[in-house]
Amino acid sequence: MSVQIAKHWFTVAEYNRMGETGILKEDDRVELIEGEIVEMSPIGRRHAACVGRLTNLFSRLLAERAIVWIQNPVVLNDYTEPQPDVALLRRREDFYERSLPAPDDVLLIVEVADTTLEYDRQLKVPLYARAAIREVWVVNLHDEQVEVYTRPAEGVYQSVIRHGRGEAINSTDAAGLTLSVDEILG
């Protein structure tokens, strides 16, 4: 005999109200994934250093062309609001104060993966593909590679290219952005 358990999937609006009312605290490391509140992994030193390097590189190279959005929410749909490690967003005068960025606002998402590689590959990358985010990079710290996902169609990225040390990555959507894997990994 199987038992049916009723679940409640939270909407982005409900999730945000939990933050506004104090149910979720500002320093809680959680994100909303397909209606479920998911605890995020602690940030280790390699992960933090990589996010810091990316922040510095993107800010220097794209200061006038994009907003560098660090570990902040992006609304993918009514039930999903992840907090990617880095997102490059279209410039907006209010810096997304009136409304959080949506898929059309995103030029590039970067997830840095040390202990979360399979979670990022199997859960987050497909979510980004279903939301038609045009380009996602997964920085695989363990294998010292950057996986570049492009051309989303029918919820799947049609192109996946892995770049190793000594190689350069040319962003397809953040025009003029070229970085070496060595710059990203340090």
Side-chain angles (χ1 to χ4, degrees):
M1 167 168 59
S2 72
V3 176
Q4 295 293 328
I5 298 174
K7 286 187 174 185
H8 174 81
W9 284 275
F10 294 101
T11 66
V12 167
E14 291 169 330
Y15 175 71
N16 286 313
R17 273 196 304 276
M18 285 186 235
E20 292 164 6
T21 60
I23 293 170
L24 293 174
K25 307 288 187 245
E26 191 169 313
D27 59 346
D28 285 345
R29 291 206 22 88
V30 295
E31 57 188 350
L32 184 66
I33 304 295
E34 296 185 315
E36 296 187 60
I37 299 171
V38 177
E39 190 169 347
M40 296 165 39
S41 295
I43 296 174
R45 62 179 176 74
R46 287 188 71 209
H47 183 282
C50 186
V51 171
R53 268 191 296 282
L54 286 165
T55 302
N56 184 51
L57 290 164
F58 289 154
S59 296
R60 185 169 39 89
L61 297 171
L62 300 170
E64 299 303 316
R65 293 183 287 165
I67 293 173
V68 182
W69 195 251
I70 305 301
Q71 296 171 336
N72 284 325
V74 174
V75 177
L76 299 184
N77 59 45
D78 289 342
Y79 294 92
T80 303
E81 186 181 290
Q83 293 182 18
D85 289 309
V86 182
L88 295 180
L89 306 176
R90 296 185 191 289
R91 290 204 60 79
R92 212 167 84 180
E93 291 303 313
D94 74 336
F95 282 79
Y96 296 91
E97 183 177 5
R98 286 191 305 274
S99 63
L100 289 171
D104 286 345
D105 300 311
V106 176
L107 302 172
L108 170 67
I109 282 183
V110 181
E111 293 287 358
V112 177
D114 194 357
T115 60
T116 61
L117 184 59
E118 291 311 308
Y119 176 77
D120 290 335
R121 279 182 181 157
Q122 293 176 14
L123 185 74
K124 291 185 93 174
V125 167
L127 287 173
Y128 296 139
R130 286 195 298 274
I133 301 292
R134 290 175 294 281
E135 185 172 5
V136 174
W137 296 359
V138 174
V139 179
N140 176 345
L141 294 175
H142 184 263
D143 294 325
E144 296 195 327
Q145 294 180 334
V146 179
E147 302 168 6
V148 177
Y149 297 81
T150 57
R151 296 187 7 245
E154 298 180 21
V156 176
Y157 285 105
Q158 303 303 302
S159 174
V160 180
I161 300 172
R162 288 173 174 77
H163 298 274
R165 286 196 177 271
E167 296 180 320
I169 303 167
N170 297 308
S171 173
T172 59
D173 213 34
L177 175 64
T178 300
L179 290 178
S180 73
V181 173
D182 294 320
E183 286 177 295
I184 295 169
L185 295 173

